[in-house]
Amino acid sequence: MPEAADLERRTTELLQRLIRFNTVNPPGQEEEAQEHLKSLLEGAGFECELLAAVTGRPNLVARLRGRSDGPTLCYLGHVDTVLADPGDWSVDPWSGELRDGMVWGRGAVDMKGQVAAEVAAVTALAEEGWRPASGELKVVVTADEEAGATQGAKWLCEEHPDKVRADLVVNEGGGDSFEFEGRRLYAVEVAEKGVFRFTLTTSGRAGHASIPKIADNALAKLAPIVQAFSDGRPELEHSPEPDALMAELGVDHDDLDAALAEVQRRDPRVAILLEPTLGVTFAPTMIRASEKINVIPARAELKVDCRVPPGLGEEHARRRIEEVVGNDGYDVRFTESVVGNRSPIESPLMDLIDEFVRAEDADAAVVPVMLPGFTDSRWFREAFPDCVAYGFCPRREIDMFQTAALMHSADERVPVADLGLAARFFAELAPRVLG
Ligand SMILES: [Zn+2]
């Protein structure tokens, strides 16, 4: 097993290097970062391939084959990031500066830190001569995760399924820890909500704005609808993941309204993260009506970002819309429909994650979580229905609430100690699964 201090140093240096490649998506420009990772993995004995949907934006697939057939374990990551406005930051977002025991920069948490831990762990293992006894270790680093994955994981899974096929996938979306009533819990992401964005339209009759009563103002009809979407909430819904989480928290969850209120009472921070996993959510974000200030609009449009529990589709979303805003006076057209999906909560991979957590942090436990957003795991679960895909990159020095505030925000940073913890996890897991 590679030495802990060495793993931490390698991960830290690699993360600093990765942050210095500006991979803000759009446009992404992931090629240089991918070439760098490829050279490290090839140097350690991996077979590597760059697969690109468009020039300059390759995905990296690295494989270390075992001596006999067996399961394929895939460490998944993405190397693109969201944008950063240097004016809001205390350091240059592409400096990878080491300050106060942390690496600072865009992507430190989401998710170059995890990619660095994955690659540092597997290259250290392979350089020591480790090879899977059976099965195969893959490292897949995608482009374009932050802008829809049509040139990244979605494309890879559709166009090159044989190259990225896996039985077990470890990706982003989990690993953050939080304290609940004195006990530390590590989240393992096992499910992700779907995205059902829609445009809601109201209609009226156009007219000159100087005689308001001559027209029928479509914009005014949107006002109560906007209000209802932001204040109202459709009925809460059971799903296996939040049910299991609440059981682990010791909260009786037969009645979801009472359960949410109970979590709210015990720790409001946990309630904020739990609530969106208990059903369909609506966030009205954009509105459009007349093109001219002196014309009363005959049509007005509201765009709503709607998230739906895994496995459920448009019909379910529509039912919840009607529950909140009634069923007449508007039209709804879905503009994006991506059904969320899940992996089983119980699996040998979950047991291995649990063992690692208990060995590192004696009184801690793992809890399954549903992500309100979605990650590249979604495309793998869809393409390979039997695969178990979890989000897990352990962090202890900073907790889930701190991480949630740093992702996609200014001064994104990750403690060096957590980079070491994550690298130990990835270095220990591969030999446990593959021998
Ligand atoms: Zn990410």
Side-chain angles (χ1 to χ4, degrees):
M1 191 50 57
E3 214 238 310
D6 183 47
L7 277 177
E8 184 177 289
R9 182 188 52 77
R10 290 168 76 128
T11 305
T12 303
E13 288 172 5
L14 179 53
L15 172 56
Q16 291 181 289
R17 187 76 189 85
L18 289 178
I19 287 172
R20 289 171 196 147
F21 296 108
N22 182 331
T23 53
V24 169
N25 180 14
Q29 296 179 303
E30 296 92 346
E31 189 159 27
E32 272 187 89
Q34 298 285 44
E35 290 283 0
H36 183 72
L37 293 170
K38 177 172 177 269
S39 71
L40 293 176
L41 287 156
E42 266 175 354
F46 280 75
E47 296 164 42
C48 294
E49 235 181 323
L50 292 174
L51 300 164
V54 289
T55 321
R57 305 199 64 188
N59 299 278
L60 171 62
V61 178
R63 316 170 69 153
L64 194 64
R65 292 175 211 254
R67 289 182 286 274
S68 62
D69 285 350
T72 298
L73 169 66
C74 172
Y75 289 165
L76 180 59
H78 67 83
V79 80
D80 61 317
T81 70
V82 293
L83 53 77
D85 181 349
D88 298 335
W89 286 59
S90 326
V91 302
D92 171 357
W94 297 281
S95 63
E97 193 174 318
L98 194 57
R99 187 192 282 191
D100 306 326
M102 306 211 198
V103 177
W104 296 57
R106 176 52 86 223
V109 175
D110 183 14
M111 67 169 289
K112 289 176 171 174
Q114 180 169 351
V115 169
E118 291 172 349
V119 172
V122 302
T123 52
L125 278 173
E127 283 165 19
E128 287 185 357
W130 175 81
R131 293 291 181 275
S134 63
E136 182 174 357
L137 177 62
K138 283 183 187 170
V139 178
V140 175
V141 184
T142 65
D144 199 32
E145 194 274 343
E146 298 289 1
T150 52
Q151 298 170 3
K154 181 174 190 286
W155 177 81
L156 269 181
C157 288
E158 285 169 2
E159 300 299 320
H160 296 285
D162 292 333
K163 297 193 171 172
V164 296
R165 185 181 308 281
D167 301 295
L168 305 167
V169 175
V170 183
N171 183 29
E172 66 176 335
D176 294 299
S177 59
F178 61 101
E179 261 190 45
F180 186 77
E181 301 183 323
R183 190 164 63 127
R184 190 162 26 237
L185 302 168
Y186 288 75
V188 182
E189 188 256 90
V190 300
E192 305 180 2
K193 290 181 82 176
V195 182
F196 288 84
R197 299 187 172 122
F198 60 86
T199 302
L200 182 151
T201 310
T202 51
S203 304
R205 196 175 59 253
H208 198 285
S210 63
I211 313 171
K213 291 284 189 276
I214 212 167
D216 180 19
N217 192 337
L219 177 60
K221 296 177 184 177
L222 273 187
I225 291 174
V226 174
Q227 195 74 51
F229 277 131
S230 36
D231 297 350
R233 188 183 69 186
E235 189 186 321
L236 297 181
E237 302 175 35
H238 284 282
S239 294
E241 301 81 15
D243 281 0
L245 172 61
M246 287 184 282
E248 195 64 49
L249 299 179
V251 173
D252 177 11
H253 55 274
D254 285 345
D255 175 342
L256 287 174
D257 288 290
L260 183 59
E262 176 65 11
V263 175
Q264 169 79 31
R265 191 183 64 73
R266 295 207 220 163
D267 191 334
R269 301 173 310 167
V270 176
I272 287 176
L273 298 178
L274 175 66
E275 184 172 13
T277 71
L278 299 177
V280 174
T281 58
F282 300 110
T285 51
M286 298 166 84
I287 202 161
R288 204 175 111 139
S290 181
E291 302 291 331
K292 287 190 66 118
I293 196 166
N294 62 352
V295 176
I296 292 171
R299 277 167 57 87
E301 275 186 3
L302 173 69
K303 289 184 190 290
V304 180
D305 191 327
C306 168
R307 306 296 175 115
V308 174
L312 300 168
E314 278 185 16
E315 198 190 322
H316 187 78
R318 208 174 271 279
R319 199 158 72 226
R320 294 307 188 197
I321 293 169
E322 290 178 4
E323 194 183 319
V324 172
V325 298
N327 56 8
D328 56 29
Y330 63 86
D331 285 311
V332 162
R333 183 171 50 88
F334 286 95
T335 51
E336 279 173 72
S337 296
V338 179
V339 178
N341 57 20
R342 54 167 54 95
S343 291
I345 293 172
E346 285 177 26
S347 74
L349 179 57
M350 183 65 82
D351 296 341
L352 290 172
I353 293 173
D354 183 59
E355 272 175 45
F356 174 83
V357 162
R358 286 173 197 276
E360 286 282 342
D361 198 346
D363 299 320
V366 295
V367 287
V369 299
M370 177 196 293
L371 200 69
F374 81 99
T375 72
D376 280 343
S377 298
R378 196 221 161 260
W379 309 111
F380 280 74
R381 290 185 186 119
E382 182 177 69
F384 316 117
D386 295 330
C387 97
V388 173
Y390 290 157
F392 192 75
C393 179
R395 281 181 280 264
R396 177 169 55 197
E397 294 270 307
I398 52 169
D399 71 15
M400 180 183 289
F401 311 111
Q402 292 169 295
T403 313
L406 289 173
M407 275 178 69
H408 295 201
S409 182
D411 287 343
E412 185 178 352
R413 57 197 183 272
V414 65
V416 167
D418 283 344
L419 294 173
L421 177 68
R424 283 203 296 289
F425 167 70
F426 291 111
E428 286 179 25
L429 182 68
R432 299 292 294 278
V433 173
L434 303 170

